[in-house]
Amino acid sequence: MSNISIMIAGVGGQGTLLTSRVLGTAAIKAGYDVKMSEVHGMAQRGGSVITYVKLGDKVDSPVIEKGEADILLCFEKLEALRYIDYARKDGIIIVNDQRIDPMPVIIGKQNYPDDITSKISSNNSNVYIIDALEVAANLGNIRVLNIVMVGFLAKSTGIKKELWYEAIRETVKEKFIDINIKAFDEGYRMAENYSR
Amino acid sequence: MKKLMLGNEAIARGAYEAGVSVATAYPGTPSTEITEAIAKYDEVYSEWSPNEKVALEVAIGASVAGGRAICSMKHVGLNVATDPLFTVSYTGVNGGLVICVADDPGMHSSQNEQDSRNYAKAAKIPMLEPSDSQECKDFIIRAFELSEKFDTPFIIRLTTRISHSQSFVELGERFEVPTKPYNKDFNKYVMMPGMAKKRRVIVEERMNKLNLFANETDLNQIIWGSNKDIGIITSGIAFQYSKEAFGDVSYLKLGMVYPLPEKLILEFASKVKTLYVIEELDPFIEEFLKQNGIQCIGKEKLPVMGEYCASLLREQLLGIKEDNITSVEENVPGRPPVLCPGCPHRGVFYTLKKNKLTVTGDIGCYTLGALPPLESMDTCVCMGASIGMAHGMEKVRGNEQKRVAVIGDSTFIHSGITGLIDVVYNKGTSTVIILDNSITGMTGHQHNPATGYTIKGEKTRQVDLVQLCKAIGVDRVTVCDPFELDEFEKIIKEETAINEPSVIIAQRPCALLKTVNYKGKVRVNDKCKYCKVCMRLGCPAIVDTGDSIVINEALCVGCDLCMEVCKFGAFEKVGDTNE
């Protein structure tokens, strides 16, 4: 497989940084050169957070630009809408069907847009809408929604399942390994069974 | 062994392998992880210093005593440390001394966008700039060697995309460097005019040697591509963007950005037809070329602010526009950062706004209190500025306008204390609220002198803020809980009315600390009159649906502040209640 650019968009606190670390670790195991870029500090406090993971034979810039992402992994619907122009026209867009109101919406200054998922789906051909939050809640910990998303994405990368398991084991805290492996499997299964 | 590492982690690894014995810092995004990572090595003494100036002074002391020392900070932190910086350039070093400074082009997490390369030139201190994590590690090791060879501190310049990007690093072993002998050397380390005049000459001699070195060192590399017509002079992250945009052209990649290699640049420039200089922020390299009569294309086409990226270079320099972009036309609401659910600062800013106070603010999580709906901060300039600015406002407007300064515990220790001394000494009557949340919050929970723990988590003597303020001469010091809204408001009214300086220590720990354990969730019951007073809290967990108020249970931490605010008892606790 050639180079893959994966962009992760979410809301501070949803676990996007950990997600990029699992992705990066799995990619190393698969023999790729990897670069990742993340933003810390002020932006993390409930703000819009993006991270980049680029894999390939040789990666130069760690940054993903508009029209460049092969896979856009969105943890929240509004963030999917905000960053959709980063996905390639034929890129894969995976959206967690969750709504988190930003402050301008909470205080009534702006409206949360309607029908985000249908807007995105009509704009791009490769859109997957999943309810990772519900899957995570059923597993007993909503915080693993990020690894459900990883499981879904894993299907599109061609990286072997075993390597993902290893990456999860090395990245998450020991007491959360089991639930995260389950979350990964659930996500992976959703991708296998997905029908639009 | 190869490992994926943040640039900051690679700097830490390099310092470790270089046998560093002392590491100091004050946390600041994007530099914080350097010293957090070094602190994990038991072989290295590391500390959070009260501020960057002290951090550098400690590192200088360690160097003079014969050990290798590293001091790290963000770009604005270097402003604080410039006083020792400009003179350690004169004294030189004993053990190697490296200063890491992380610039923040694009201001992801900063109040300004300065280019630290100017400091290298102004202080006559050589500067290296790595372009990925591997170079972070390699350059820091080189910097220690060169520091000792040329008897000068070295600066390593990072930018956000180097500090916070991960790429492969080949790990090596630690090289134990024996502590050098310490010899009292009055002429080298006591910078009074008589001695400084002599060292001043040595600085120029050193610069001459470094100028020659810059032309010879492999830190600067010409990389000939198959296209030799186009040449690009660049460094740091801009090298990566350039490669992505231009591919197989020719590069002069500068690993040493000060002093610049005149001969090497002339040689490269003479062999290419079109010469670009690609550098974020100031035209630092470009001005050097133009002084030397070399024609190049740089800031006439490229911005002096913000981050660069490959598509920007393609568009501005090659006229190629990206056409693979898809977009949905939509007015997408912004998602600014907010105070977390349960944040102790929320009670403070709610009360300040309610009382229509003028608020001079400071740097930390609580700066977010400036944003809607709390909107209760009038100014934010730099670390510690809140107190001095409140005093300055008083001297112009007297007490016609009620005002307070708000400053975090860590920021107060950093540089608020001197402002408070000024208020007392110069007969001010300012009220200062110290937001004591028991941690340095914004940079991700670092200890500081007011928390009572060191960087390694060891218990230590805790600065007593009450005693400290009293010792300065503030007689009115009150400690209170900002979530006891009525009591807190009463205290603020009293203290701002009184004609003498006062300090209110608003004490409640950061809700993200593991020791904070709020219980249960809040729900809205049928007593809600939809008066929306609770919406003034700006809590992300309280949602106005358009005709009712609901709690977003996924976000609610159960801090109960909304229950304090609601006059109708419309919020009730589900599950356990807090003590």
Side-chain angles (χ1 to χ4, degrees):
Chain A
M1 192 186 286
S2 59
N3 294 8
I4 311 176
S5 295
I6 304 170
M7 176 163 161
I8 304 162
V11 178
Q14 281 191 304
T16 52
L17 277 187
L18 184 80
T19 305
S20 63
R21 282 172 197 189
V22 172
L23 289 178
T25 310
I28 298 168
K29 291 177 181 298
Y32 286 107
D33 183 28
V34 178
K35 277 192 184 168
M36 308 201 284
S37 191
E38 51 199 50
V39 170
H40 297 211
M42 177 66 96
Q44 275 178 295
R45 302 278 169 270
S48 173
V49 177
I50 50 173
T51 60
Y52 310 120
V53 183
K54 290 173 87 171
L55 17 153
D57 295 334
K58 174 85 180 79
V59 181
D60 294 319
S61 164
V63 175
I64 295 174
E65 300 173 32
K66 286 184 178 174
E68 216 180 69
D70 298 295
I71 303 177
L72 180 61
L73 190 67
C74 307
F75 283 52
E76 199 271 350
K77 288 190 286 187
L78 185 62
E79 299 313 306
L81 193 61
R82 187 188 319 283
Y83 293 110
I84 190 169
D85 51 352
Y86 279 76
R88 296 165 57 92
K89 274 181 182 157
D90 55 354
I92 295 169
I93 303 176
I94 304 168
V95 184
N96 174 34
D97 193 6
Q98 186 185 354
R99 168 175 172 167
I100 301 175
D101 287 348
M103 198 46 73
V105 173
I106 290 176
I107 62 175
K109 289 210 168 144
Q110 272 182 290
N111 291 322
Y112 195 96
D114 297 324
D115 305 323
I116 290 180
T117 50
S118 55
K119 277 171 192 159
I120 292 172
S121 299
S122 61
N123 193 72
N124 296 61
S125 53
N126 255 331
V127 180
Y128 301 86
I129 313 287
I130 63 173
D131 194 341
L133 183 66
E134 193 194 4
V135 175
N138 288 341
L139 287 170
N141 187 346
I142 55 171
R143 297 197 61 83
V144 301
L145 90 90
N146 57 352
I147 304 298
V148 176
M149 300 287 287
V150 170
F152 195 97
L153 170 147
K155 187 77 176 46
S156 321
T157 59
I159 297 173
K160 280 187 206 150
K161 244 179 160 178
E162 291 69 34
L163 300 180
W164 289 102
Y165 291 150
E166 283 177 31
I168 290 168
R169 283 196 197 99
E170 286 173 25
T171 314
V172 308
K173 285 200 184 118
E174 200 176 339
K175 60 176 176 173
F176 297 120
I177 289 175
D178 287 346
I179 189 166
N180 277 293
I181 297 279
K182 278 183 200 155
F184 177 89
D185 282 340
E186 287 294 327
Y188 199 91
R189 196 169 313 139
M190 281 166 93
E192 285 176 326
N193 300 333
Y194 191 90
S195 57
R196 284 197 185 84
Chain B
M1 194 182 90
K2 251 171 139 188
K3 212 181 152 194
L4 206 54
M5 283 181 141
L6 285 174
N8 283 349
E9 293 168 335
I11 289 283
R13 181 70 198 186
Y16 166 78
E17 289 179 14
V20 78
S21 54
V22 168
T24 62
Y26 183 83
T29 314
S31 71
T32 312
E33 298 80 8
I34 297 172
T35 312
E36 279 184 325
I38 295 179
K40 290 181 181 148
Y41 297 111
D42 291 336
E43 296 91 331
V44 185
Y45 168 80
S46 46
E47 71 168 43
W48 293 129
S49 311
N51 65 34
E52 294 85 353
K53 179 175 181 289
V54 176
L56 182 51
E57 289 154 355
V58 173
I60 294 170
S63 161
V64 170
R68 287 188 167 181
I70 180 173
C71 176
S72 309
M73 60 200 71
K74 69 181 296 178
H75 60 305
V76 283
L78 189 55
N79 300 337
V80 179
T82 43
D83 201 356
L85 182 82
F86 276 66
T87 303
V88 74
S89 170
Y90 283 31
T91 65
V93 304
N94 185 17
L97 174 64
V98 178
I99 298 139
C100 284
V101 57
D103 288 1
D104 189 16
M107 292 176 273
H108 293 281
S109 198
S110 303
Q111 68 269 39
N112 76 22
E113 188 183 50
Q114 55 188 59
D115 188 330
S116 295
R117 293 177 298 174
N118 297 304
Y119 270 131
K121 188 177 175 191
K124 298 175 186 285
I125 295 177
M127 177 182 262
L128 308 184
E129 185 175 24
S131 71
D132 62 18
S133 296
Q134 181 68 52
E135 284 189 355
C136 283
K137 201 201 87 166
D138 296 343
F139 282 19
I140 196 120
I141 295 171
R142 294 288 294 278
F144 275 110
E145 293 162 2
L146 295 169
S147 168
E148 287 168 6
K149 181 178 171 195
F150 287 97
D151 190 8
T152 174
F154 260 71
I155 305 175
I156 302 256
R157 183 210 187 203
L158 306 164
T159 55
T160 302
R161 294 289 177 195
I162 296 295
S163 286
H164 286 165
S165 289
Q166 302 194 41
S167 57
F168 281 118
V169 177
E170 187 72 47
L171 302 187
E173 294 296 314
R174 176 170 164 96
F175 184 73
E176 287 298 340
V177 182
T179 302
K180 290 186 165 184
Y182 171 71
N183 298 313
K184 181 169 175 169
D185 190 345
F186 178 84
N187 285 309
K188 185 160 164 22
Y189 296 120
V190 182
M191 285 303 94
M192 296 162 73
M195 292 75 100
K197 282 175 189 166
K198 290 179 199 144
R199 293 299 303 179
R200 178 74 187 83
V201 178
I202 292 172
V203 169
E204 290 309 313
E205 288 167 4
R206 184 179 75 207
M207 283 311 301
N208 290 338
K209 287 180 198 158
L210 285 162
N211 279 323
L212 292 175
F213 172 79
N215 287 302
E216 292 154 10
T217 175
D218 61 357
L219 289 162
N220 298 324
Q221 283 181 346
I222 294 179
I223 305 162
W224 292 112
S226 48
N227 180 340
K228 292 191 177 59
D229 290 344
I230 295 180
I232 296 172
I233 302 181
T234 183
S235 70
I237 192 67
F239 170 66
Q240 307 291 358
Y241 298 149
S242 303
K243 273 211 309 189
E244 189 129 335
F246 284 84
D248 190 20
V249 300
S250 299
Y251 299 89
L252 170 53
K253 177 183 172 297
L254 300 172
M256 188 168 184
V257 289
Y258 186 76
L260 289 163
E262 190 182 334
K263 259 181 25 198
L264 195 66
I265 288 172
L266 279 167
E267 180 199 330
F268 184 71
S270 69
K271 288 180 182 163
V272 298
K273 286 193 180 130
T274 311
L275 182 63
Y276 297 102
V277 173
I278 300 179
E279 54 187 330
E280 287 179 331
L281 304 183
D282 293 342
F284 186 83
I285 302 170
E286 182 178 340
E287 280 176 359
F288 181 82
L289 262 66
K290 295 206 161 143
Q291 277 163 21
N292 284 282
I294 302 168
Q295 289 301 311
C296 63
I297 302 165
K299 297 298 179 187
E300 64 186 86
K301 294 273 179 80
L302 295 169
V304 291
M305 59 184 126
E307 290 190 293
Y308 286 5
C309 59
S311 61
L312 174 100
L313 301 182
R314 275 193 290 263
E315 194 173 326
Q316 294 299 314
L317 301 178
L318 301 172
I320 302 168
K321 262 199 101 129
E322 194 63 59
D323 60 354
N324 197 23
I325 296 171
T326 169
S327 85
V328 177
E329 286 301 317
E330 182 82 47
N331 179 19
V332 180
R335 191 184 297 276
V338 289
L339 294 175
C340 305
C343 177
H345 306 322
R346 184 166 282 112
V348 174
F349 290 117
Y350 171 81
T351 309
L352 296 181
K353 185 173 188 188
K354 190 176 165 197
N355 287 276
K356 300 190 173 63
L357 292 162
T358 299
V359 179
T360 53
D362 229 296
I363 309 268
C365 286
Y366 50 92
T367 317
L368 295 171
L371 302 179
L374 292 162
E375 289 173 302
S376 44
M377 194 176 283
D378 292 64
T379 66
C380 169
V381 174
C382 70
M383 293 286 286
S386 59
I387 302 177
M389 287 181 69
H391 185 59
M393 283 178 128
E394 179 185 344
K395 294 301 173 192
V396 172
R397 309 197 72 89
N399 280 335
E400 69 180 67
Q401 167 201 44
K402 293 276 178 219
R403 82 184 69 76
V404 295
V406 293
I407 184 166
D409 49 343
S410 184
T411 310
F412 179 69
I413 302 274
H414 179 283
S415 47
I417 298 168
T418 41
L420 188 58
I421 291 173
D422 186 44
V423 171
V424 174
Y425 170 56
N426 286 308
K427 302 178 180 179
T429 65
S430 290
T431 300
V432 175
I433 304 176
I434 300 176
L435 306 169
D436 181 4
N437 64 346
S438 311
I439 202 75
T440 310
M442 181 59 91
T443 43
H445 285 186
Q446 290 75 30
H447 284 294
N448 66 61
T451 70
Y453 290 89
T454 70
I455 192 170
K456 301 218 182 195
E458 293 157 0
K459 230 181 159 3
T460 182
R461 179 80 180 241
Q462 182 176 11
V463 170
D464 184 330
L465 292 174
V466 175
Q467 290 302 325
L468 175 62
C469 295
K470 288 196 167 165
I472 284 170
V474 181
D475 293 329
R476 301 181 67 93
V477 182
T478 321
V479 179
C480 61
D481 177 354
F483 274 22
E484 308 263 335
L485 290 175
D486 292 343
E487 176 67 14
F488 185 64
E489 185 171 1
K490 194 177 131 241
I491 292 168
I492 284 183
K493 282 187 167 151
E494 276 171 20
E495 297 307 317
T496 50
I498 223 90
N499 223 10
E500 61 175 293
S502 58
V503 170
I504 301 167
I505 302 177
Q507 230 164 35
R508 179 168 273 255
C510 171
L512 301 179
L513 283 173
K514 287 200 180 88
T515 47
V516 174
N517 194 13
Y518 292 123
K519 296 199 172 78
K521 306 262 179 199
V522 172
R523 255 184 217 166
V524 183
N525 63 28
D526 56 9
K527 292 179 197 157
C528 178
K529 305 269 188 271
Y530 193 47
C531 69
K532 298 206 250 186
V533 167
C534 55
M535 295 307 296
R536 294 178 196 159
L537 288 172
C539 175
I542 307 176
V543 180
D544 178 1
T545 64
D547 54 10
S548 66
I549 301 294
V550 295
I551 295 286
N552 180 339
E553 278 199 35
L555 294 178
C556 177
V557 296
C559 74
D560 301 353
L561 184 64
C562 52
M563 295 166 73
E564 279 279 318
V565 167
C566 183
K567 294 278 175 276
F568 304 106
F571 292 107
E572 60 187 29
K573 205 65 181 279
V574 186
D576 295 343
T577 52
N578 296 318
E579 288 303 308

